[in-house]
Amino acid sequence: MLCFCLILLLEEISGGRMLSFSGLPGTGKIKENSLAGAWVYTFNVNLSSPSNTLETGDPIIINSNPLTKAFRISPVSLLQYNVATTGNPILDYETMPHTFELQILICDKAGAQALQILSVVVLDEDEPPEFQGNLATQTVMVYILENTPPGIVYQFHAVGSTNSTSTTLSYSWTPEGPFSVSPTGTIFSTKAFDYENDLPSYPLKITVNNGQGLNTTGTVIINIININDESPYFTIAKRVFGIKEEETIGTIVTTITAVDPDGELFNNSLHYSITAPQRIPYFSINPDNGVIQVASRIDRDIAPLNQHANITLEILAEDSPSYGQSSSITIVITIEDINDHPPECQRYVFREQFQETISPGTVIVDLQNICSDGDAVAPNNLFNFTGLSGVGSHKFAQDPPGSGRITLVGNMDLENKTGGAEKDYILKIVVEDIVWPFFRMMSEIGKVTATDEDVPSTGISYSIVAGGGTWDYSKIFWIDPEEGMVHIVAQLDYEETQRYLLTVQASDNEGGTTDVQVTVNVLEANDEKPVCSASSHLLEVPMDLTSGTNINGLYITCVDRDSSPRSFRYFINSGNVNNHFTFSPSAGSGSSRLILASPFDYKGGLDRVWEYRLEVLITDDNLLSMANGSTALVQTGSVTLTIKVIPNPTTVVPTTPGVILLTSRENVYSVLAWYVPFIISLASLLLLGLLGYLTFLLAKYICTCCPPKPKEGKKPLIKFPEKKKVKKEVVWEMTNVNAIFDGEARDPVTGHLYEFNSKSGARRWKNTNQPPESDAKDPVGQVTTTRTNPGQGNLSRKQGRGDNTVLTPLEQKVEISDRDHGQKLQVPKEESLVNGTAVPPRRSPIPSPKIYPKYQSQA
């Protein structure tokens, strides 16, 4: 009010023209939720003089009630201004004040000022409905499992405006698809989803309408989760496969592939296995890629394969070993027979006797049932016999030819010289396969020879009855049944087996047999090449590297299964331009270093190659002599070295192995962590204070328990004046009591008689030596109080009526009031004397004496 009067006074003084507003104070109205820049109010400014101008930036809003930054002032013309919204914050009728008072100030260059108030009223508007919960601020992601039955998917809530005239909300959604929305905001699915056939996600735009044209839209994305509900299926069309018998272990038969419809995640986790293997596990399958390989030796000619050549395997594909889906497929692998067995006979020498009178056509011997072929099926197990040879073979023939059924065709009459009959005939016949045999590598390693002392000899046959086999191959050796020559039919490996024990049996045609042990020693051969730890290296060296330096500390380390490291020899086969590189040691060690033999000369033009590719060979012939070196078997390993020469390197490349420690410093302090040093400092201060306090208590305890002993004869340096003791003043009171005792009674404790005054209550012990007084008077007493110091021994006293005077200390005085005269009688509280003996006071029916208040305050 005072400011307003002052403004009016200044206006009158200036002749009625001063800086002022036009249109203010005033009231502006604005709707809630108005955007930034919405118009609120317009006012003008009146200058005190046409030559004056406003300060830069004026007018301004200097204050508001309540405080807000929702409004600003923008110029329309030179002296006209608008009040508009800033959009920060957006006006909301439901959550903000409904009225704002803005204080607007203007100043001109002459120093004049004007201040006015603009009232802004926020108007309530009909707002669109709002979603509540997550849908109000974000897109909602909903996940449902495939094959879930139709039902509730998601529940959302929406509310209308408080000032809306409509209370009913309606919902719509796009696209419609396999979903529906209830009037209560519940999203339902109308089908069970299949991840493999349906869409993986469904974005739904939910719109809520209040019936008055206002609506709000939210987005709900429904994702279908793929579950492991589909079994994998096999993609191979062929179910029957065939391999030859005696295939080497590791031979690939086929590859089984399967696909999981549930997607790539489950496809990558497919696991293959053989669920129904045979009695002997002939095959194995790789669990990751489904490759079927030969796992053990397969012999078609022995049981059970000689009867059933088909091996049935049930392959199982699982997408999860513990709880997933699986499928199985049955494949058949047919083992093909090969002609790997020659015909064998029970006897190879026959001695037959017959009469000379036998007729032509008589069967001498039938070899068909004596010989057999170990192969499983025809034609590999079929054989025939060649024509007869020997002296007199023309008198015998095979009937039919090649059958081994030998018959007589000539005359055997010994007396008939013209017939040419002989007593002894030696015939030879050969049994052989019909089809071309399947040859393996067969090497002769020795011969077994047996003799028969029977005359004539019936012939000897040989066979291996024991030994000569391993886990993979039951027959590594084979013996010629006629010659006794032992052959190798499989690969020998010295590193696996160094010795074999064979049992060879020799038998004649009459059933006689004998056995002999044959030891086959496998000799070591240099069939393994040196293998190095790394087959290739990449090195970088500076161009000014000095000769004799171990390049990058490189060591080549090699091993050989059948050779000593002392047999190694290192040399660079190619790529060593200008012979800059060498190895040390170059032979006789299992490891060797790469050395720079001569420095690089790029400045002189000798070297122009910046990248060297060296082929290093490691041989195992170092221990061989010159004579044996040309004929012995030598194995060679190789290592590839790539060496890059760095021109003018900025950093020194270490030539010997070392460790470089790098230390980096980083300021990790954050302004947001200001409380950390504060808490540390506060805790340190508290800890120091606690330690100081504990130290003080400890020192105090020590001084109390162990005071220092003063030294004799030592005087203090400072002489303090002696303190005078304050003498305690004692107030003594002298009471002269003249009392009439008109009654007597016996003390129940001591049994003595005492006299008492029935009015005042005063009492005394009765002296039995004096006669009682007959005349009773009212007790009259005077009290005179005198203060004196102890030790003076003088008491001033005043005599009253009566002869009895009692002296008592002030702090022990008691009083007895006289009801009639209003006087107070003093009775000492000390022990009473009876016959010169002190007797303590006892309880009596007389009231207890009282202490004088006025004397108590003086003490």
Side-chain angles (χ1 to χ4, degrees):
M1 187 66 183
L2 181 62
C3 294
F4 182 71
C5 294
L6 182 59
I7 292 174
L8 293 178
L9 179 62
L10 292 175
E11 184 179 0
E12 293 294 333
I13 295 175
S14 60
R17 291 186 58 84
M18 62 180 303
L19 185 64
S20 63
F21 289 94
S22 177
L24 291 179
T27 302
K29 297 181 180 181
I30 184 68
K31 296 179 180 180
E32 64 171 331
N33 299 323
S34 297
L35 299 179
W39 176 84
V40 178
Y41 192 77
T42 301
F43 64 90
N44 296 322
V45 175
N46 300 321
L47 298 176
S48 60
S49 172
S51 60
N52 288 341
T53 58
L54 296 178
E55 292 286 351
T56 304
D58 283 0
I60 59 174
I61 300 174
I62 62 172
N63 197 4
S64 65
N65 183 26
L67 291 174
T68 184
K69 295 181 179 180
F71 305 97
R72 61 180 174 85
I73 298 176
S74 58
V76 177
S77 62
L78 183 62
L79 297 177
Q80 188 177 16
Y81 298 91
N82 276 344
V83 177
T85 59
T86 62
N88 182 28
I90 296 178
L91 300 175
D92 187 6
Y93 185 85
E94 285 74 22
T95 60
M96 298 177 65
H98 300 163
T99 303
F100 294 91
E101 293 183 353
L102 309 180
Q103 297 181 6
I104 302 175
L105 175 68
I106 54 175
C107 300
D108 60 9
K109 297 284 180 80
Q113 297 180 353
L115 179 68
Q116 285 296 347
I117 295 176
L118 172 64
S119 297
V120 179
V121 178
V122 180
L123 302 178
D124 190 14
E125 284 289 312
D126 189 9
E127 297 180 347
E130 295 179 351
F131 289 106
Q132 292 184 334
N134 294 333
L135 194 57
T137 58
Q138 61 185 356
T139 299
V140 176
M141 307 290 290
V142 181
Y143 298 87
I144 61 175
L145 297 176
E146 65 169 325
N147 298 330
T148 301
I152 298 176
V153 175
Y154 184 70
Q155 175 70 52
F156 62 87
H157 300 278
V159 294
S161 175
T162 56
N163 61 347
S164 176
T165 58
S166 176
T167 59
T168 302
L169 301 178
S170 60
Y171 302 99
S172 61
W173 66 96
T174 56
E176 295 185 357
F179 299 97
S180 63
V181 180
S182 69
T184 59
T186 303
I187 301 177
F188 292 89
S189 62
T190 59
K191 60 173 286 188
F193 295 93
D194 186 2
Y195 184 87
E196 289 73 30
N197 299 319
D198 295 329
L199 296 176
S201 63
Y202 295 85
L204 298 181
K205 288 190 175 182
I206 310 297
T207 302
V208 53
N209 196 310
N210 64 354
Q212 297 179 347
L214 298 177
N215 57 71
T216 302
T217 301
T219 302
V220 178
I221 299 178
I222 301 174
N223 299 290
I224 309 302
I225 300 177
N226 185 19
I227 63 175
N228 189 12
D229 61 334
E230 299 288 341
S231 299
Y233 62 90
F234 294 92
T235 58
I236 60 172
K238 186 178 179 181
R239 303 296 176 91
V240 179
F241 306 91
I243 62 169
K244 292 182 174 63
E245 64 170 327
E246 302 293 353
E247 290 286 357
T248 58
I249 296 176
T251 301
I252 296 177
V253 179
T254 185
T255 300
I256 304 298
T257 57
V259 175
D260 194 332
D262 288 319
E264 182 179 357
L265 176 63
F266 298 97
N267 279 331
N268 293 335
S269 62
L270 287 178
H271 181 273
Y272 300 92
S273 61
I274 300 176
T275 59
Q278 302 297 314
R279 181 176 60 86
I280 300 177
Y282 295 110
F283 303 97
S284 64
I285 188 170
N286 190 308
D288 298 325
N289 54 29
V291 175
I292 298 178
Q293 296 174 308
V294 176
S296 62
R297 179 176 178 245
I298 303 175
D299 191 352
R300 175 69 172 83
D301 307 319
I302 62 175
L305 296 180
N306 58 353
Q307 301 295 330
H308 304 282
N310 296 331
I311 299 177
T312 302
L313 299 179
E314 183 180 359
I315 309 300
L316 181 68
E318 300 174 284
D319 54 17
S320 181
S322 57
Y323 55 87
Q325 303 291 332
S326 62
S327 294
S328 61
I329 185 176
T330 301
I331 65 173
V332 177
I333 301 177
T334 301
I335 309 301
E336 299 177 5
D337 185 36
I338 61 176
N339 189 15
D340 59 340
H341 289 279
E344 295 182 354
C345 299
Q346 300 175 6
R347 297 167 57 189
Y348 290 94
V349 178
F350 296 85
R351 187 179 184 88
E352 299 293 334
Q353 295 179 354
F354 53 88
Q355 298 294 327
E356 62 176 334
T357 58
I358 64 173
S359 59
T362 303
V363 178
I364 304 301
V365 63
D366 189 356
L367 300 178
Q368 187 67 43
N369 297 327
I370 297 176
C371 298
S372 63
D373 193 319
D375 292 314
V377 296
N380 295 329
N381 62 354
L382 299 180
F383 55 89
N384 58 12
F385 297 90
T386 62
L388 296 173
S389 62
V391 179
S393 60
H394 62 281
K395 290 187 176 289
F396 302 91
Q398 296 186 64
D399 185 21
S403 63
R405 189 169 180 266
I406 301 174
T407 60
L408 180 64
V409 295
N411 185 11
M412 289 289 109
D413 187 4
L414 297 178
E415 286 78 15
N416 187 3
K417 302 295 183 181
T418 59
E422 300 290 339
K423 289 184 178 181
D424 296 320
Y425 292 90
I426 299 176
L427 304 178
K428 185 177 181 181
I429 188 172
V430 177
V431 57
E432 60 184 6
D433 286 322
I434 294 178
V435 299
W436 191 261
F438 183 84
F439 289 101
R440 285 194 180 94
M441 180 185 66
M442 297 179 64
S443 301
E444 297 179 355
I445 62 173
K447 184 178 181 180
V448 178
T449 303
T451 58
D452 190 354
E453 297 181 354
D454 293 332
V455 179
S457 177
T458 59
I460 300 174
S461 61
Y462 303 92
S463 62
I464 299 175
V465 295
T470 62
W471 178 261
D472 296 328
Y473 294 95
S474 60
K475 290 184 179 181
I476 296 179
F477 304 95
W478 176 79
I479 188 171
D480 191 319
E482 295 181 0
E483 302 294 333
M485 185 63 69
V486 180
H487 299 266
I488 300 174
V489 296
Q491 182 70 35
L492 298 179
D493 190 355
Y494 176 84
E495 285 72 32
E496 297 293 335
T497 306
Q498 292 82 29
R499 176 178 297 178
Y500 295 90
L501 297 178
L502 310 180
T503 301
V504 179
Q505 186 179 82
S507 61
D508 58 16
N509 296 324
E510 296 180 354
T513 61
T514 183
D515 296 339
V516 65
Q517 294 290 332
V518 177
T519 301
V520 180
N521 294 314
V522 181
L523 301 178
E524 183 180 8
N526 189 15
D527 59 341
E528 300 286 345
K529 65 181 181 180
V531 178
C532 300
S533 57
S535 60
S536 63
H537 296 270
L538 177 61
L539 308 174
E540 293 182 351
V541 297
M543 61 177 296
D544 56 353
L545 188 65
T546 59
S547 60
T549 302
N550 180 201
I551 297 177
N552 285 16
L554 176 65
Y555 278 79
I556 294 179
T557 303
C558 304
V559 294
D560 194 331
R561 293 182 62 191
D562 54 13
S563 299
S564 170
R566 295 187 296 111
S567 65
F568 293 163
R569 189 165 56 91
Y570 304 87
F571 63 94
I572 301 175
N573 186 48
S574 63
N576 193 8
V577 181
N578 294 331
N579 296 323
H580 285 297
F581 308 99
T582 186
F583 280 91
S584 176
S586 61
S589 176
S591 61
S592 182
R593 299 178 300 166
L594 179 63
I595 302 297
L596 182 65
S598 60
F600 301 105
D601 187 8
Y602 290 97
K603 294 182 179 180
L606 178 62
D607 293 318
R608 297 183 179 181
V609 178
W610 294 94
E611 182 174 328
Y612 296 85
R613 186 175 181 85
L614 307 181
E615 182 186 8
V616 183
L617 299 182
I618 302 95
T619 61
D620 53 8
D621 59 351
N622 184 51
L623 300 179
L624 298 177
S625 62
M626 295 295 294
N628 297 330
S630 59
T631 58
L633 183 62
V634 178
Q635 298 293 334
T636 303
S638 64
V639 174
T640 302
L641 301 179
T642 302
I643 302 175
K644 294 183 179 180
V645 181
I646 304 175
N648 298 322
T650 56
T651 59
V652 177
V653 177
T655 58
T656 56
V659 178
I660 301 176
L661 298 179
L662 299 178
T663 303
S664 61
R665 296 183 179 180
E666 182 180 359
N667 185 12
V668 296
Y669 176 75
S670 175
V671 179
L672 299 178
W674 61 268
Y675 56 88
V676 175
F678 173 75
I679 293 176
I680 294 176
S681 301
L682 182 61
S684 302
L685 293 176
L686 293 176
L687 181 60
L688 290 176
L690 178 61
L691 293 176
Y693 180 68
L694 294 177
T695 304
F696 169 74
L697 293 180
L698 179 62
K700 183 177 180 181
Y701 176 77
I702 294 174
C703 294
T704 304
C705 298
C706 304
K709 183 178 181 181
K711 297 182 179 180
E712 297 182 357
K714 186 175 181 180
K715 297 181 180 180
L717 297 177
I718 302 176
K719 185 176 181 181
F720 295 96
E722 296 183 357
K723 295 182 180 180
K724 295 183 179 180
K725 295 182 179 180
V726 180
K727 296 182 179 180
K728 186 177 181 180
E729 296 183 355
V730 180
V731 179
W732 291 88
E733 182 180 85
M734 183 178 65
T735 305
N736 189 5
V737 179
N738 290 325
I740 302 298
F741 299 93
D742 55 357
E744 65 179 19
R746 186 176 295 276
D747 185 47
V749 178
T750 61
H752 296 287
L753 295 175
Y754 64 88
E755 296 176 343
F756 63 89
N757 188 298
S758 59
K759 293 183 179 181
S760 63
R763 63 176 184 260
R764 67 180 180 182
W765 297 108
K766 183 178 181 181
N767 189 357
T768 56
N769 296 328
Q770 296 180 2
E773 298 180 6
S774 57
D775 297 330
K777 299 181 180 180
D778 294 338
V780 176
Q782 296 180 353
V783 177
T784 302
T785 302
T786 304
R787 295 173 182 255
T788 180
N789 295 328
Q792 294 180 357
N794 295 324
L795 297 174
S796 64
R797 55 180 73 162
K798 292 183 179 181
Q799 301 291 338
R801 287 182 301 176
D803 296 331
N804 297 327
T805 302
V806 181
L807 294 178
T808 61
L810 181 62
E811 53 272 13
Q812 294 182 0
K813 67 180 181 291
V814 297
E815 68 177 4
I816 298 175
S817 300
D818 187 10
R819 297 178 182 178
D820 296 336
H821 300 83
Q823 297 184 4
K824 299 177 181 178
L825 301 179
Q826 306 298 323
V827 179
K829 198 175 180 182
E830 298 176 342
E831 298 178 353
S832 300
L833 298 176
V834 178
N835 296 329
T837 304
V839 178
R842 306 294 181 179
R843 290 184 66 180
S844 66
I846 300 176
S848 300
K850 299 180 180 179
I851 301 175
Y852 280 83
K854 61 181 180 176
Y855 294 112
Q856 185 178 9
S857 61
Q858 293 177 1

